[in-house]
């Protein structure tokens, strides 16, 4: 694509409520030792009972607009990636638009599970190619804890809530990270591996008690195998098609689902642990928000310098997966 896609600013917000592994052991039959050894997760964030996904999105959005020095009136699009919206309809993007008082901007959600950041970046780049003057607010937000089945200990310990936001334009200002390339893939024949309920398959009548199909369910073992294999393969593919090798990557920021998956993917790619960013210990799996939250923290911690190339990759329900290259 000839038109560039720059991240003019980036922000993230995780709700204040912390659920440690010890908290989890009071809610379900688990313990800190099992969770840490199998996943690397020590705690995750949980939104308050009074909050919804759009409230987290609003905090990240206001901050990112302020960092970009951009008025709300300047926005042309609001795009939200989420698998845990406030409601099935209206889209979180429309709710957010109302909260921001953003006028009549084009506002819609995309659903690509944990690959939402990559799919959203790809889509926003296409929007910029068609409308070079577009100024897009792109938010990834998840309220995953609203969909946890506390009877399913293999799944409920994994997820947390967060939001991350960026402003995307075709022109840079100061030092704006450039999206050099992005690849998005899927295999719908494996759609049963991870599910979040609440759609038309949940056939409840008023007064019915909700069943387990309302919550997140997952075949963890199978998902694990596909995650490691596909994330490594798509990372190799994106490097190869850009004439790059792993030596050209300053930092690897994979989807933060599980430390073992991150380590296995890193080892397949032959990248040293000191060039791999990890924050899954603090947040668990925040689905679409995972990569931008990690990018935000890596940058704030000085792990990304101007001129650095960052390789990002994600994997999630669908199955969906992909990889991207960013140049800071
Ligand atoms: O964005 C992508 C999202 N998906 C993922 O990231 C999931 C990928 N998969 C995984 O990360 C791993 O498969 C899990 C962490 C979910 C599970 O690890 P595992 O090594 O595959 O464990 P398992 O499901 O095979 O269970 C092993 C044992 C079982 O006990 P028995 O049958 O061997 O006695 C489980 O009942 O561990 C037990 N177990 C637990 N024990 C304590 C499962 N969950 C827990 C738990 N606490 N939370």
């Amino acid at each position: 694509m000839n038109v560039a896609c720059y991240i003019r600013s980036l922000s993230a917000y995780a709700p204040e409520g912390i659920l440690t592994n010890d908290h989890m052991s009071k809610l379900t039959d688990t313990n800190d030792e099992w969770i840490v050894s199998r996943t690397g997760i020590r705690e995750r964030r949980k939104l308050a009972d009074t909050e919804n996904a759009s409230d987290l999105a609003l905090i990240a959005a206001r901050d990112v607009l302020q960092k970009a020095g951009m008025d709300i009136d300047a926005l042309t699009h609001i795009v939200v990636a989420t698998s845990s919206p406030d409601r099935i309809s209206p889209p979180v993007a429309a709710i957010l638009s109302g909260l921001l008082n953003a006028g009549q901007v084009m506002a819609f959600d995309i659903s690509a599970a944990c690959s939402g950041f990559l799919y959203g970046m790809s889509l926003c780049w296409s929007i910029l190619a068609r409308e070079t003057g577009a100024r897009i607010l792109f938010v990834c937000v998840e309220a995953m804890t609203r969909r946890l089945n506390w009877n399913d200990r293999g799944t409920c310990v994994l997820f947390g809530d967060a939001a991350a936001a960026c402003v995307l334009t075709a022109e840079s200002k100061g030092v704006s990270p450039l999206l050099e390339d992005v690849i998005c893939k899927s295999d719908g024949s494996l759609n049963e591996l991870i599910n979040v309920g609440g759609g038309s398959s949940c056939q409840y009548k008023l007064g019915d008690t909700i069943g387990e199909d309302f919550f997140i369910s997952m075949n963890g073992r199978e998902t694990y195998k596909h995650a490691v294999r596909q994330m490594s393969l798509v990372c190799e593919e994106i490097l190869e098609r850009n004439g790059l090798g792993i030596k050209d990557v300053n930092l690897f920021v994979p989807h933060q689902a599980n430390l073992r998956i991150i380590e296995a993917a890193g080892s397949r790619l032959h990248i040293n642990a000191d060039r791999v960013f990890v924050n899954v210990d603090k947040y668990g799996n925040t689905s679409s928000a995972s990569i931008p939250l990690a990018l935000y923290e890596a940058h704030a911690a000085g792990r990304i310098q101007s001129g650095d190339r960052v390789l990002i990759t994600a994997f999630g329900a669908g199955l969906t997966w992909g990889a991207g290259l960013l140049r800071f």
Side-chain angles (χ1 to χ4, degrees):
M1 234 183 283
N2 287 333
V3 171
C5 175
Y6 288 100
I7 301 180
R8 284 278 283 271
S9 62
L10 177 66
S11 185
Y13 174 74
E16 286 170 13
I18 296 176
L19 275 181
T20 64
N21 290 347
D22 285 340
H23 286 122
M24 300 306 276
S25 67
K26 294 184 179 70
L27 297 166
T28 191
D29 180 15
T30 190
N31 55 76
D32 179 61
E33 193 279 327
W34 190 96
I35 302 174
V36 172
S37 64
R38 300 286 175 128
T39 72
I41 299 167
R42 293 184 185 277
E43 58 189 44
R44 71 288 290 144
R45 298 298 181 92
K46 182 181 185 303
L47 78 180
D49 292 349
T50 51
E51 288 176 314
N52 280 314
S54 58
D55 297 305
L56 309 188
L58 180 64
I59 295 170
R62 281 200 172 125
D63 191 52
V64 85
L65 286 168
Q66 199 234 324
K67 286 193 170 112
M70 194 173 281
D71 287 339
I72 285 158
D73 294 349
L75 289 179
T76 56
H77 300 70
I78 298 179
V79 181
V80 171
T82 185
S83 301
S84 46
D86 297 26
R87 292 165 249 164
I88 287 179
S89 185
V92 175
I95 300 172
L96 180 61
S97 174
L99 292 169
L100 287 169
N101 206 7
Q104 298 184 352
V105 295
M106 184 172 177
F108 63 97
D109 290 1
I110 62 163
S111 169
C114 301
S115 309
F117 181 67
L118 291 165
Y119 271 68
M121 290 297 285
S122 177
L123 177 78
C124 291
W125 197 0
S126 305
I127 293 172
L128 290 170
R130 184 167 168 268
E131 296 177 47
T132 48
R135 289 170 297 274
I136 307 169
L137 172 64
F138 173 41
V139 182
C140 297
V141 62
E142 302 292 356
M144 302 301 282
T145 60
R146 287 279 153 81
R147 281 288 184 282
L148 298 181
N149 174 358
W150 300 106
N151 292 331
D152 179 2
R153 64 179 181 168
T155 304
C156 68
V157 298
L158 304 177
F159 294 94
D161 305 330
C166 50
V167 172
L168 304 172
T169 60
E171 283 179 1
S172 68
K173 190 178 175 196
V175 203
S176 308
L178 171 72
L179 178 64
E180 290 185 316
D181 197 6
V182 61
I183 298 177
C184 296
K185 300 196 178 214
S186 73
D187 182 351
S189 70
L190 298 169
N191 73 78
E192 288 295 337
L193 287 187
I194 313 173
N195 278 290
V196 186
S200 63
S201 65
C202 286
Q203 299 187 36
Y204 298 116
K205 297 186 295 301
L206 195 62
D208 284 355
T209 306
I210 54 166
E212 298 211 321
D213 58 351
F214 189 71
F215 299 98
I216 302 172
S217 61
M218 180 170 62
N219 179 335
R221 280 267 158 119
E222 275 305 303
T223 305
Y224 186 103
K225 281 191 274 182
H226 288 285
V228 173
R229 182 176 148 72
Q230 299 299 359
M231 286 201 298
S232 327
L233 285 175
V234 74
C235 284
E236 286 166 2
E237 183 180 337
I238 202 166
L239 288 172
E240 195 183 320
R241 89 174 186 185
N242 286 275
L244 302 169
I246 202 72
K247 63 174 183 355
D248 301 305
V249 172
N250 301 95
L251 193 68
F252 179 45
V253 181
H255 171 45
Q256 305 287 310
N258 178 320
L259 184 59
R260 287 193 299 155
I261 295 178
I262 294 170
E263 287 174 348
S267 142
R268 275 188 177 221
L269 290 167
H270 304 291
I271 188 156
N272 289 340
D274 63 352
R275 285 193 288 149
V276 180
F277 188 76
V278 174
N279 67 358
V280 70
D281 49 321
K282 291 195 291 178
Y283 302 107
N285 183 345
T286 58
S287 194
S288 67
S290 166
I291 291 180
L293 172 63
L295 284 172
Y296 176 74
E297 289 212 326
H299 191 256
R303 294 281 303 273
I304 304 174
Q305 303 298 327
S306 182
D308 279 358
R309 179 174 284 112
V310 177
L311 173 63
I312 56 179
T313 185
F315 186 90
L319 295 177
T320 57
W321 66 94
L325 286 170
L326 294 168
R327 191 73 189 249
F328 277 72

